[in-house]
Amino acid sequence: MDIVVKGRKTEVPERFRKHVAEKLKLDKIQRLDGKVISLDVEVSKEHNPRQADRSDRVEITLRTRGPVIRAEASAGDPYAALDLATGKLEARLRKEHDKRHDRRGNGRLTAAEVPDVVPGVAELNANGQPVPRDADQSVPTTRIGSLEVQGEGPLVVREKLHTAAPMTLDQALYEMELVGHDFYLFVDSETKQPSVVYRRHAYDYGVIHLETDPLAGTEAGGAGGALGG
């Protein structure tokens, strides 16, 4: 990386350019920020006699992969202005360096300290294995649709309610082909029963009718199972 020195409305003597290279130690800057892309120094001069004590102004612009860092200063000559601007630049570089160091190191928690700070995190023993929680701790209950789920429980991602007019088996087959599904839920117009028509092999179809048993208890099995039977 080279230092680019330029003048704005003023000539920059070669002696000053060499002084800039000696003053701005690139190795020192790169130790504080190893991602430096470019370093520009701009010199300008104020010709107003009333501002003779700060007629020379130096602005240093350091571009890195992070935020751009700038430092500027004015003095009675460009060398003094460069000294002041360099001091400001180094102070800002140290500040950014210390901030990055703090984010990487200070404030980190050990694995043993995490449960004390973050609620709900499993505790670890000396071997790094999770420690079982007490059985009497309450398990959160969530209501999903018509289900009450304890802990993680079954995952119900969607619940739908459809209003359907009763239809014949032929109409149900036609509707299934129309929507391109492998099964179709409908109410049979003849039996008034909830039914499912489904595709089997080749061009064969099957139908399942669901009939309510008034004598069955609440523990009776449902009509679950594979449709392909």
Side-chain angles (χ1 to χ4, degrees), residues 216-220:
T218 57
E219 297 181 359

Side-chain angles (χ1 to χ4, degrees), residues 74-164:
S74 298
D77 65 87
Y79 295 89
L82 177 64
D83 291 345
L84 294 172
T86 301
K88 292 180 181 179
L89 179 70
E90 291 179 356
R92 291 170 185 172
L93 279 172
R94 289 194 190 95
K95 183 178 180 180
E96 288 295 323
H97 177 269
D98 293 341
K99 189 186 299 184
R100 290 193 300 270
H101 178 72
D102 289 344
R103 284 199 296 264
R104 288 196 300 265
N106 296 347
R108 284 191 171 184
L109 301 175
T110 64
E113 296 171 329
V114 170
D116 297 331
V117 179
V118 183
V121 176
E123 298 182 6
L124 303 179
N125 58 23
N127 297 324
Q129 299 298 323
V131 178
R133 293 184 176 273
D134 295 337
D136 59 349
Q137 290 184 346
S138 59
V139 178
T141 301
T142 305
R143 188 171 186 83
I144 304 176
S146 59
L147 298 178
E148 285 190 357
V149 180
Q150 287 189 337
E152 296 298 328
L155 181 62
V156 178
V157 295
R158 183 179 298 176
E159 182 181 27
K160 287 186 177 181
L161 177 64
H162 291 281
T163 302

Side-chain angles (χ1 to χ4, degrees), residues 51-70:
Q51 299 181 358
D53 59 337
R54 48 190 178 92
S55 60
D56 294 277
R57 179 173 173 271
V58 172
E59 178 178 328
I60 305 173
T61 303
L62 183 67
R63 291 180 173 82
T64 71
R65 295 181 185 175
V68 175
I69 300 175
R70 285 191 176 90

